[in-house]
Amino acid sequence: MALCDLEQTDREVYDLICREEQRQQHSLNLIASENHASRAVLQALSSVMTDKYAEGYPGKRYYAGCRVVDDVEQLCIDRAKALFGAEHANVQPHSGTGANLAVYMACLKPGDRILAMDLSCGGHLSHGLSINMSGQAYNASYYGVRHDTEMIDMDEVLSQARKVKPHLLLAGASAYSRTIDFAAFADVAARSGAVFMADIAHIAGLVMADVHPSPVPYADFVTTTTHKTHRGPRGGMILSKEKWAKKVDQAVFPGIQGGPQMHCIAAKAVALKECAEPSFRQYAAQIIANAKALAAGLTARGWRLISGGTDNHLMLVDLRSRDGEIDGDQAQRWLSAANIICNKNKIPFDSRPATHPSGIRLGTPALTTRGMKEPQMEMLAAWIDGILAGHGDEKTVARVAQDVARLCDNYPIPAVR
Ligand code: PLP
């Protein structure tokens, strides 16, 4: 994108931004939590909206001069409510973690009990891990996945809920490749007297496009990030039932944040408009079709996927499933050397440490944004297999790097289109 003034003012930052643009253009991004925002979203982000202080909410601000930002925030709220079918939306959270902390503050007292998905089975650290505020302020317990299916077992969730008696039951994950049955979670919450929160940070785009069931009808609170399958700016959002609206708003501001980032809110509004287009529904369906194609390609070459496959945008590869011991850290480095970018990741019941886990997590949202489809996923499966099966052998990596470069040239990222 043209950044003429920046080039004049600060050549160093300008060069770094150009380098990052080139890095993104010349690599294949399989990080399941990342995506490429549109040029329109990027333009809203770099607008004068960044200059405005607007503590409070539309019509109730602590600063003068908020007439225009009131309109942009209200537009964003209205679009979020309409798209998700939610009673209330707060679009101010600066991040997904912030959105989660605000919900806890809205409905829990310090020391209250949370029941959430175990990090080692795909959960997120803001769901009560001791190194996160959520684990220090609240008392977290976990449900996992079954040993045999590696999927969530709702009977286990219910029996855990009966044992723990959580104040808040949380559904949602960072590394779970199967459809989450939000209606069943709501049922467990109702039976155990808990409020129900769904964190759809990863799957929000799939939910909006109706290719994954929505938790909105069932959950007291739904939190999300806005930059993953959602494909907007980096940030968070909370949807809730009307009865929680006041508590949610108070928890976000002044509870955990100061002034909202109005440029981000403007960009969130743009992304929501894009998500309402019929083409977004096709995009979301293609994310899943691509994930299934990549999963099939890897499975056909002997790689075992956790739970046997995927229903959504991501998959976890069990690196113990082929000859020779390799770990996620090696796999991430070897693939990265060929400009295939992914995460090392623990797999359920992993005996290895998080620094050298037994898996990698692969996701298709970013490649799908670039227009790639099933044939490209089949090529990618062959390249990943070649590099991993060859234990990062230099010749294979160099050959695949050339193939990756050719593919990238044919599928530009939005910023360089
Ligand atoms: N919730 C889930 C399920 C996530 O996967 C993530 C991020 O990966 C978050 C919350 C946190 O989002 P953020 O990085 O914006 O704080």
Side-chain angles (χ1 to χ4, degrees), residues 33 95-98 100 124 126-127 172-174 199 201-202 225 227-228 235:
S33 52
S95 69
T97 299
N100 289 346
H124 189 257
S126 64
H127 296 178
S174 300
D199 176 348
H202 265 259
T225 54
H227 48 269
K228 299 185 173 116

Side-chain angles (χ1 to χ4, degrees), residues 214-235:
S214 171
V216 172
Y218 312 107
D220 296 281
F221 308 95
V222 177
T223 58
T224 182
T225 54
T226 48
H227 48 269
K228 299 185 173 116
T229 51
H230 199 319
R231 212 167 52 177
R234 193 155 293 279

